[in-house]
Amino acid sequence: MAVVNRILVTGATGTIGSQVVSQLLAAEVPVRALVRNPQAAALPPQVEVAPGDFTAPDTLDRCLDGIDTVFLVWVAPAEAAAPALERIAKRARRIVLLSAPLKTAHPLFQQPNPSRTRAEMIERLIEGSGLQWTFLRPGMFAANAKGWWAPQIRAGNVVRWPYLEVPTAPIDERDIAAVAVRTLCEEGHSGAEYVLTGPQSLSQFEQIATIGSVLGRSLRIEEISPEDWLSQLPSFLPSFVAKYLLDAWAAAAGQPAFVSSTVAELTGVPARTFLEWTAEHAAQFRG
Ligand SMILES: NC(=O)c1ccc[n+]([C@@H]2O[C@H](COP(=O)([O-])OP(=O)(O)OC[C@H]3O[C@@H](n4cnc5c(N)ncnc54)[C@H](OP(=O)(O)O)[C@@H]3O)[C@@H](O)[C@H]2O)c1
């Protein structure tokens, strides 16, 4: 892999960015991480930590000094995107955006919601910025299972969830990161849009049952109505986000998940299965 100049990883404390950092370090690529709170970031010592916040554009210049390529994870408010991207475009040469499968003709990915609108807006800003860009378009993260199902599984043997029959193709964060590292470190990905999924279409029931089998427990998996689910959401899942999920699951009922082979094509290694993901994270489902 050709090593480029220093890479700025944003979202470095999050699910995907933290994996990107680990895999860049493993490839001996110098990494700088933009973080809002350096004291809390707990990044490996080889990482150069740069304090920055997308909602405070003046903090970005120092983070971008000497940077060639940016890995962009955007969860900040939409109105902060234009000033932040203006700063990035002034200093960096290229950008890899963690986006979503906005153009894939599968109903799971085509329901309107504000998060989708924000991602489309950011893509348009990047396309007009003069930066060389690559868009990563992962589907459902396998890691969602930690927030969605782990609290119930830690608390007992009953999991209540809506739309159990709806399939998705959950992708392991390590595979998204592996593609990200390729696109950050190699030339030749400019203008590419990579739709990334796990290797299998699995219903939500099958995914929960997989966790049960890895833990060696027989879980009782019960369908509940969307209304009942909304009335007992875990605190981390705001109801407006839950409503997007319900819309997506309702639209996707009755057909297999969209499965791409892009991870294997780009990395030379098959995408990890949900069983492999669960085995890696089993401790988080134990009481
Ligand atoms: N979940 C899915 O199934 C799924 C599927 C497809 C695409 N996506 C996309 O994936 C992205 C989320 O990735 P993720 O799950 O890896 O994120 P995450 O775990 O939620 O982490 C978010 C990261 O963004 C940082 N951050 C938040 N606000 C910031 C700000 N104002 N300035 C700078 N950094 C800020 C956080 O840093 P702090 O440590 O400072 O909080 C954290 O490192 C979203 O764009 C989402 O749309 C998700």
Side-chain angles (χ1 to χ4, degrees):
M1 205 180 286
V3 173
V4 295
N5 291 334
R6 192 176 290 277
I7 292 171
L8 180 69
V9 178
T10 72
T13 58
T15 304
I16 307 303
S18 60
Q19 277 299 320
V20 171
V21 167
S22 304
Q23 294 188 28
L24 285 171
L25 292 178
E28 300 186 354
V29 177
V31 181
R32 183 181 297 163
L34 180 156
V35 297
R36 287 189 295 180
N37 183 348
Q39 276 71 42
L43 289 164
Q46 310 93 299
V47 176
E48 182 193 347
V49 173
D53 187 328
F54 291 134
T55 62
D58 289 348
T59 63
L60 302 181
D61 289 336
R62 272 188 55 210
C63 301
L64 287 159
D65 191 30
I67 290 293
D68 177 79
T69 303
V70 174
F71 180 65
L72 184 64
V73 177
W74 192 276
V75 299
E79 56 274 18
L85 280 162
E86 202 176 301
R87 304 270 172 154
I88 293 171
K90 269 195 193 135
R91 292 186 173 257
R93 180 174 64 93
R94 60 182 184 169
I95 189 163
V96 175
L97 172 70
L98 180 65
S99 187
L102 305 178
K103 300 179 183 169
T104 300
H106 186 287
L108 187 72
F109 305 133
Q110 288 306 327
Q111 304 317 303
N113 65 59
S115 162
R116 178 192 178 85
T117 306
R118 182 181 63 183
E120 287 169 338
M121 186 267 287
I122 290 169
E123 291 187 8
R124 279 197 301 274
L125 288 170
I126 290 174
E127 285 164 346
S129 69
L131 288 157
Q132 289 180 26
W133 55 261
T134 307
F135 296 155
L136 305 186
R137 303 190 176 284
M140 287 285 183
F141 296 177
N144 293 337
K146 286 194 266 183
W148 292 354
W149 303 319
Q152 293 187 64
I153 293 171
R154 283 197 297 264
N157 282 328
V158 182
V159 180
R160 298 192 177 88
W161 202 252
Y163 292 110
L164 284 172
E165 82 290 357
V166 169
T168 64
I171 180 164
D172 192 306
E173 57 274 17
R174 294 169 293 178
D175 290 329
I176 301 172
V179 171
V181 167
R182 291 261 161 189
T183 57
L184 290 164
C185 296
E186 295 175 350
E187 298 296 333
H189 300 283
S190 179
E193 304 178 38
Y194 294 127
V195 180
L196 309 172
T197 73
Q200 296 163 291
S201 174
L202 287 176
S203 70
Q204 300 203 86
F205 183 98
E206 289 169 317
Q207 292 173 41
I208 299 166
T210 299
I211 298 168
S213 74
V214 167
L215 299 178
R217 284 168 49 191
S218 53
L219 299 175
R220 204 167 82 227
I221 306 166
E222 294 180 355
E223 176 91 23
I224 56 169
S225 70
E227 295 72 29
D228 285 350
W229 185 61
L230 286 175
S231 71
Q232 51 191 254
L233 287 176
S235 57
F236 77 91
L237 192 57
S239 63
F240 70 94
V241 175
K243 284 179 185 147
Y244 312 159
L245 287 168
L246 288 173
D247 289 346
W249 291 328
Q255 60 184 297
F258 180 87
V259 175
S260 84
S261 50
T262 314
V263 169
E265 285 157 17
L266 286 176
T267 67
V269 182
R272 293 171 174 88
T273 62
F274 188 70
L275 178 63
E276 289 175 283
W277 180 89
T278 306
E280 179 73 16
H281 296 276
Q284 291 173 61
F285 295 88
R286 295 205 168 96

